[in-house]
Amino acid sequence: MIERYPRLMRLMHWSAAALILPALLIGLALAYKLVVPDSPAADWWTDVHVLLGLSALGIMLLRIIVALRSAKPPIAGTRTEVLAARSAHFALYLLVIMLPLSGYAGWIAYGEAPKPFGIPLPKFEPLATFLESKKAGEWLWPVHEYAGLALTALLVIHVAAVVRRSWLASNSDRIDGLNRMRAGPTGQSE
């Protein structure tokens, strides 16, 4: 039985976190107009937001493949705690995948693909035509925004659960907190 996630999964976890957190913060700043709309600064931050989101999507898709093929440490706790942890992780994965896809689809629903820092991304013409004909942009942007808010709330809960299980739980539960994902060697063959 392993006590920590394999090194590759831990690297992907922290890489995704390093992309998702700033993408969320930038998205919130743009959505709530903390950056002047339609300004060069807003365009620059939007480009950063798009690149971070698409990069996080790539890592999460790879992470799913790796997770399906890797041994994972068991989750200690009551049946309810284990179910809550699995449900929360499923929701995290779902939201992290849904956010960049809904944002990208929102762009193409209005007839253009994002061009972060002038890099043209594919428009996916048949999908764009379909989304434009259904006026999907009108509901895709709110989906993107609300999914961002849901992910923000879920990440706060996730971090709180990690803190609780790492520092406030009994010694027998300590492997279920931050230790499962911390960097460094495991002392076991990986």
Side-chain angles (χ1 to χ4, degrees):
M1 175 173 60
I2 64 169
E3 292 184 0
R4 291 179 50 203
Y5 283 94
R7 184 172 290 139
L8 181 58
M9 286 187 70
R10 287 181 277 140
L11 176 64
M12 293 167 108
H13 174 271
W14 292 112
S15 298
L19 295 167
I20 293 165
L21 183 60
L24 280 173
L25 294 174
I26 292 167
L28 290 169
L30 292 167
Y32 292 101
K33 298 178 178 40
L34 300 177
V35 178
V36 177
D38 300 318
S39 68
D43 292 343
W44 189 87
W45 284 112
T46 298
D47 290 348
V48 171
H49 176 74
V50 169
L51 287 177
L52 290 170
L54 292 175
S55 299
L57 173 63
I59 286 177
M60 290 306 290
L61 293 175
L62 286 173
R63 192 170 168 197
I64 289 170
I65 293 167
V66 171
L68 291 172
R69 298 172 159 244
S70 300
K72 293 172 265 326
I75 300 170
T78 67
R79 216 169 129 171
T80 302
E81 289 173 327
V82 171
L83 179 62
R86 288 194 175 132
S87 299
H89 282 97
F90 177 79
L92 282 168
Y93 275 73
L94 183 66
L95 286 168
V96 170
I97 291 168
M98 189 174 88
L99 263 165
L101 291 179
S102 64
Y104 202 108
W107 278 86
I108 65 174
Y110 283 111
E112 61 182 275
K115 293 179 189 165
F117 299 108
I119 303 165
L121 299 177
K123 187 176 175 185
F124 303 108
E125 287 297 334
L127 178 61
T129 302
F130 173 77
L131 292 173
E132 286 177 57
S133 72
K134 301 295 181 188
K135 298 184 181 187
E138 294 174 12
W139 58 268
L140 279 168
W141 286 119
V143 164
H144 185 70
E145 185 176 343
Y146 291 126
L149 293 172
L151 181 59
T152 301
L154 197 52
L155 286 174
V156 169
I157 292 166
H158 176 66
V159 170
V162 167
V163 168
R164 179 194 166 272
R165 293 188 67 87
S166 294
W167 289 291
L168 302 178
S170 68
N171 286 337
S172 64
D173 283 345
R174 288 185 67 83
I175 64 163
D176 274 300
L178 186 59
N179 191 44
R180 291 165 50 112
M181 276 294 175
R182 73 178 166 78
T186 59
Q188 303 170 4
S189 63
E190 294 186 46

